Amino acid sequence: RHFSHQQKRHPQQKSPSCLLPTMSAFGSNTSSGKQPSIGPNDCNVPQAGTDGISALHWSPSANYLVSSNWDGGVRCWEVQEQGGQVRAMPKAQVNHEPNSSVLDCCFSADGSTVFSGGTDKAVRMWQLNGAAPPNGLAQQIGVHDAPVKGVCFLPRTSLVVSGGWDRKLKFWDCRSPSPVGVLDLPERVYAMDARDNMLVVACGSRQIISYDVSGQPREHSRKDSPLKFQSRCITVFPDCTGFAVGSIEGRVAIHYLQKVQGKESFAFKCHRQDSNVFAVNDICFHNPFGTFATVGADGVVNFWDKDNKQRLKGFPPIARSISCANFNAQGNLFAYASSYDWSKGSTFHTQQTPDEIFVHHVPEDEIKPKNKKGMKSR
């Protein structure tokens, strides 16, 4: 449980990372004495890229994993699991413009298409089963006046929504070069998420805006974050009754937008070690059980049950910060990126340390609710 302020920076060149073995060498300690992964049999995903990993997403229809990277690449792997052993095979890669970084990615509802946004100010589309794009450059379907921080697919309308540092939300029909809708925001987009008919956007001013996107986008609520410091990540509950938001100061808020009997909004501390406070870099929900994971700049993965206010599992910290993570649709696989998040600035960045993606097989007893109270609200 820990948190520290993270700032993005201009992409930097790193020495090429070699192809990694399929399984992680869990027994080989790093110089810090910490293990490289949270589990001894976690799969070390090959060809994870040469710079920081900004997002990880699974296809909703198959075990395909996609990452976006500060080196400008969007990569896809096919992941197989048998008897708790996991294997990942590289499938393909597309890119944004040279010398640009990709800040987010997402899948279409049927898993056939990947959308991404980045510092080239473009929203791009990659059809996984289509022909390779010319020069490996993903097709542009939209543009902002500043870098694109977030992209989401809206299943009710089949539109793509992008949020940028130009303080705009733009809605795209992939068949048209012009947005079908534009909404102004009070500040830059720092994080956003969409599920079913709900879209939530965390802005630089600590404002959080929710929208009903079942049809024409309609603002549902606008309020300050329940947390006192800068928002770092935000995720919609699986039942769309609210959202979880994490901040740079080791705290997560569980916030309901609808009244749910027996449930109240609350916040709790996490990702902290002694007097050190670390950023909560990502929050992802487990669809079958409604439980969730947080990952942080401390290199820690925690599994939580918000309904019973309980931590289900706390893994020992790994050697590097964890920048992003996600569960697959079935909930038996958990992907996480061991990747420097720049929370301590350039002084702590070493080019010799590779950015890695691991896939952890999730036994049911790690993530299933235990039906007892335990997590203190703050």
Side-chain angles (χ1 to χ4, degrees), residues 24 29 31 41 92 114 192 210 223 227 237 281 302 358 365 375 377:
S24 65
N29 289 5
S31 58
N41 295 317
V114 175
M192 58 188 282
S210 66
K223 57 186 65 181
L227 307 177
F237 297 164
N281 284 335
N302 289 313
F358 293 94
D365 62 358
M375 195 160 58
S377 302

Side-chain angles (χ1 to χ4, degrees), residues 59 160 220 230 260 270 311 366:
S59 166
V160 178
H220 177 268
Q230 176 185 309
V260 179
C270 54
R311 185 169 72 169
E366 286 185 351

Side-chain angles (χ1 to χ4, degrees), residues 48 89 100 116 164 182 202 213 228 239 253 263 275 307 348 351 362 377:
M89 294 155 288
S100 68
S116 57
V182 179
V213 289
K228 295 179 180 179
D239 63 4
K263 304 291 175 60
S275 60
D307 296 330
F348 287 82
Q351 293 186 349
V362 184
S377 302

Side-chain angles (χ1 to χ4, degrees), residues 30-87:
T30 64
S31 58
S32 66
K34 298 176 181 177
Q35 304 288 359
S37 59
I38 64 173
N41 295 317
D42 288 2
C43 172
N44 191 333
V45 175
Q47 302 178 39
T50 61
D51 208 331
I53 299 154
S54 57
L56 291 170
H57 289 278
W58 292 90
S59 166
S61 58
N63 280 333
Y64 286 98
L65 176 66
V66 164
S67 76
S68 55
N69 197 298
W70 276 78
D71 65 9
V74 182
R75 296 170 173 84
C76 180
W77 296 265
E78 181 181 1
V79 181
Q80 298 175 347
E81 181 271 329
Q82 186 172 11
Q85 297 298 310
V86 182
R87 185 167 180 252

Side-chain angles (χ1 to χ4, degrees), residues 186-188 190 201-209 222-231 245 247 249:
E187 244 291 356
R188 292 163 294 172
Y190 278 9
V201 181
C203 297
S205 57
R206 286 183 52 253
Q207 283 198 39
I208 295 177
I209 309 172
R222 181 181 296 226
K223 57 186 65 181
D224 287 342
S225 170
L227 307 177
K228 295 179 180 179
F229 292 87
Q230 176 185 309
S231 301
V245 58
S247 72
E249 42 90 42

Side-chain angles (χ1 to χ4, degrees), residues 74-117:
V74 182
R75 296 170 173 84
C76 180
W77 296 265
E78 181 181 1
V79 181
Q80 298 175 347
E81 181 271 329
Q82 186 172 11
Q85 297 298 310
V86 182
R87 185 167 180 252
M89 294 155 288
K91 299 300 290 184
Q93 173 182 343
V94 294
N95 300 291
H96 279 234
E97 291 287 352
N99 300 316
S100 68
S101 298
V102 190
L103 304 182
D104 198 14
C105 60
C106 68
F107 271 95
S108 61
D110 62 3
S112 67
T113 307
V114 175
F115 303 95
S116 57

